[in-house]
Amino acid sequence: MINKLVEKIKKTEAPVVAGLDPMLSYVPEHLLKKSYAQFGETLEGAADAVWQFNKGIIDSIYDLVPAVKPQIAMYEQFGIEGLKVFQKTVDYCHEKDLVVIGDVKRGDIGSTSAAYAAAHLGRVAVAGNRFSAFDEDFATVNPYFGTDGVQPFLDVCKEENKGIFILVKTSNPSSGEFQDQLIDGKPLYEYVGEKVAAWGAQHMGDTYSYVGAVVGATYPQVGRMMRKVMPKAYILVPGYGAQGGKGADLAPYFNEDGLGAIVNSSRGIIAAYKQEQYARFSAENYADASRQAVLDMIEDLRQAW
């Protein structure tokens, strides 16, 4: 799957992943009214509105971007109905030939991690049959249980030719409370990056590993360092746009071949119609605003890519 991701990035000339992280406040009123009229002002109605919102955006941008990243918490908040929409979103993105990165941030002790890996990337055995559940192509993984928590994901990735992105240095302001702590003079995130490189050596694609890393756009100096520590790891870069990251700052995340990183934007794309620069698009044309936001992001990233 890493080979497919790289090829799609080359084809689209867009190292962009669209974060499908919908909040009800992002959903235009006309979609909410339609879903509530059909399903009531209920969790089912809210989930359906999110699905209609997602579908409009996917239809508008699937030819521009190589990948999408649905954040599962935004769906879980609506309970079972939300998880059904998460599944529908993953399936629909696959129909559009998009690479799907499940932003699930899973990680636990061995048996639990194995169940998470089966749910999101692998298959579960039922009475002699094996079924895929959510079936994303990549999943984000929290490494802080150590190899016990990561190895089950590596095993499934090898079986299914899928991948993971391991949290190394996240984009949020307080990430340094733990991730920046020095151990023998090195920050903790550097040790995690070294483990990512070692785990990745176990499962290589043609040029890059199936084991990638998450390094926030808000810390370009860290990106430069981690690019050297993990030369074969693809870096998923959150924090672009709404959190302050800009294209000109992101060159350190890429390798000399112009590859090696894919940059995420979530609300900057899916809630673009609410931004002043896209005010010319009405709420009814929210998906057109999202498409324009993607085009503008691609142009901005040309400074780095």
Side-chain angles (χ1 to χ4, degrees):
M1 191 53 64
I2 188 63
N3 295 337
K4 179 176 180 177
L5 178 61
V6 171
E7 287 307 310
K8 286 188 70 68
I9 290 172
K10 290 179 180 178
K11 182 178 179 180
T12 58
E13 297 185 341
V16 171
V17 55
L20 300 178
D21 305 352
M23 300 288 288
L24 276 186
S25 60
Y26 299 167
V27 180
E29 190 65 26
H30 71 282
L31 293 181
L32 289 169
K33 286 183 178 179
K34 183 177 179 180
S35 294
Y36 290 161
Q38 184 173 359
F39 298 104
E41 294 181 348
T42 61
L43 291 175
E44 186 176 8
D48 182 72
V50 165
W51 161 240
Q52 299 301 333
F53 178 68
N54 279 358
K55 186 174 182 298
I57 290 171
I58 294 162
D59 287 343
S60 183
I61 69 171
Y62 76 91
D63 60 320
L64 299 178
V65 302
V68 294
K69 183 176 69 64
Q71 162 48 255
I72 199 168
M74 301 306 180
Y75 303 84
E76 288 177 338
Q77 64 183 326
F78 303 113
I80 297 302
E81 299 300 331
L83 285 176
K84 290 178 181 177
V85 169
F86 180 85
Q87 180 70 78
K88 287 170 70 173
T89 297
V90 171
D91 291 345
Y92 192 65
C93 289
H94 281 151
E95 289 177 24
K96 297 293 187 179
D97 198 36
L98 289 162
V99 173
V100 179
I101 302 170
D103 194 354
V104 298
K105 297 184 177 70
R106 299 300 197 242
D108 210 307
I109 60 171
S111 59
T112 309
S113 217
Y116 281 140
H120 290 282
L121 298 175
R123 305 175 193 223
V124 62
V126 179
N129 300 308
R130 287 167 60 81
F131 298 96
S132 296
F134 293 113
D135 198 26
E136 302 101 306
D137 302 308
F138 291 83
T140 55
V141 174
N142 187 326
Y144 288 97
F145 281 86
T147 299
D148 289 347
V150 174
Q151 191 64 49
F153 285 93
L154 297 176
D155 294 341
V156 168
C157 286
K158 290 177 183 178
E159 291 173 8
E160 304 291 340
N161 281 323
K162 294 188 175 183
I164 54 177
F165 287 98
I166 294 176
L167 305 181
V168 173
K169 174 62 176 171
T170 56
S171 59
N172 56 301
S174 63
S175 66
E177 291 178 0
F178 298 112
Q179 296 166 19
D180 292 1
Q181 294 301 303
L182 298 180
I183 304 170
D184 295 331
K186 289 198 303 189
L188 177 58
Y189 63 73
E190 187 172 347
Y191 285 96
V192 178
E194 290 170 352
K195 290 297 290 184
V196 167
W199 288 323
Q202 302 176 31
H203 190 26
M204 285 293 301
D206 291 342
T207 54
Y208 285 93
S209 170
Y210 282 75
V211 181
V214 178
V215 181
T218 44
Y219 305 103
Q221 73 282 3
V222 176
R224 180 177 290 104
M225 177 196 303
M226 301 316 296
R227 182 72 283 166
K228 295 176 181 178
V229 171
M230 308 175 298
K232 297 296 184 181
Y234 238 81
I235 298 178
L236 172 61
V237 187
Y240 174 87
Q243 293 185 48
K246 298 178 181 179
D249 301 327
L250 301 184
Y253 296 80
F254 292 87
N255 280 318
E256 291 182 0
D257 59 5
L259 300 169
I262 186 165
V263 183
N264 177 78
S265 178
S266 297
R267 60 192 142 161
I269 292 175
I270 66 175
Y273 79 99
K274 288 179 169 285
Q275 300 172 31
E276 184 177 350
Q277 69 188 100
Y278 301 112
R280 65 187 184 279
F281 297 96
S282 65
E284 286 74 16
N285 296 315
Y286 74 96
D288 294 329
S290 295
R291 182 177 180 84
Q292 187 60 54
V294 169
L295 291 169
D296 292 344
M297 180 178 176
I298 292 171
E299 186 61 31
D300 184 44
L301 289 179
R302 292 192 194 283
Q303 301 174 69
W305 193 41

